[in-house]
Amino acid sequence: MKIFPEIDYFIELNDDCSLAISELVNQTLSKEQFVANWNNQTFIGKIEKNEFEVKLSKKIIGEFCFLKGKLKNEKGTLKIRTGRIFKIIFVTIVLFTLSGIVTAIVQNKLELIFHLVMTILIMRFIFLELGFRIISNIGINKLTEIIGIKELKKTLHNNV
């Protein structure tokens, strides 16, 4: 099992990839731009020829996961990964919790260890996993609307 959730897909498009990429460019704000209102576009990211890396334009939700794809003719791949900011937040919380476990062992307060371990498990499985699934589904649905995904198949090596 991986610490951070991720999903890989094979996708099949309704139209040619050049049309899909041009539609995605119309709905994506460049991540190099400074904009006060990000909600005018569906995605923020960078798009090159047949490849893209985008995230949802909603402020907190968009940072949760990003979609990276590569299209060729009417087929392609899509990888959904946990965002860097949420990885940093999760690792920080785990480190604080582990330091609490060490402190509980040193102070001989072993009843606290259960609560601290449960904190790590709840953060991983409830917040990180559930949040990733919900937000990645929102991203996939919006991407499907924009580029016209006909079929979406998970690859076999997914842990989500």
Side-chain angles (χ1 to χ4, degrees):
M1 181 182 82
K2 296 184 180 184
I3 294 175
F4 301 106
E6 54 186 49
I7 307 172
D8 294 336
Y9 289 105
F10 290 118
I11 58 176
E12 212 172 299
L13 301 173
N14 291 330
D15 298 315
D16 190 50
C17 71
S18 59
L19 182 61
I21 290 290
S22 67
E23 286 295 321
L24 188 59
V25 167
N26 291 338
Q27 292 295 319
T28 303
L29 186 66
S30 174
K31 72 178 182 179
E32 282 84 28
Q33 289 180 318
F34 179 76
V35 178
N37 187 3
W38 290 0
N39 297 326
N40 292 338
Q41 300 291 347
T42 306
F43 293 110
I44 297 173
K46 72 176 184 183
I47 302 169
E48 298 173 355
K49 296 182 183 177
N50 292 340
E51 296 181 22
F52 61 90
E53 185 174 328
V54 295
K55 63 183 180 179
L56 290 171
S57 65
K58 305 293 182 206
K59 289 182 178 144
I60 294 174
I61 293 174
E63 296 296 329
F64 209 94
C65 64
F66 64 91
L67 296 87
K68 187 174 185 178
K70 187 172 185 179
L71 305 175
K72 187 173 181 181
N73 298 329
E74 292 181 1
K75 297 186 188 286
T77 59
L78 179 64
K79 297 177 181 190
I80 304 174
R81 303 290 186 254
T82 306
R84 186 176 305 143
I85 291 174
F86 278 91
K87 286 181 180 179
I88 293 168
I89 290 171
F90 179 74
V91 168
T92 304
I93 291 171
V94 168
L95 289 176
F96 277 124
T97 307
L98 290 176
S99 68
I101 290 172
V102 170
T103 304
I105 291 171
V106 169
Q107 293 180 352
N108 203 17
K109 295 184 178 178
L110 301 179
E111 65 275 358
L112 283 177
I113 294 174
F114 173 75
H115 298 293
L116 295 170
V117 170
M118 289 306 294
T119 300
I120 293 173
L121 293 175
I122 287 172
M123 290 298 296
R124 167 58 178 91
F125 290 107
I126 303 293
F127 296 119
L128 199 59
E129 186 77 32
L130 188 62
F132 179 82
R133 286 180 186 234
I134 290 170
I135 294 169
S136 66
N137 281 336
I138 292 170
I140 288 171
N141 290 339
K142 292 192 184 261
L143 191 66
T144 300
E145 290 173 18
I146 292 171
I147 68 173
I149 296 175
K150 181 175 24 175
E151 191 173 352
L152 198 64
K153 293 181 184 176
K154 279 187 182 179
T155 59
L156 297 177
H157 65 279
N158 287 319
N159 292 329
V160 178

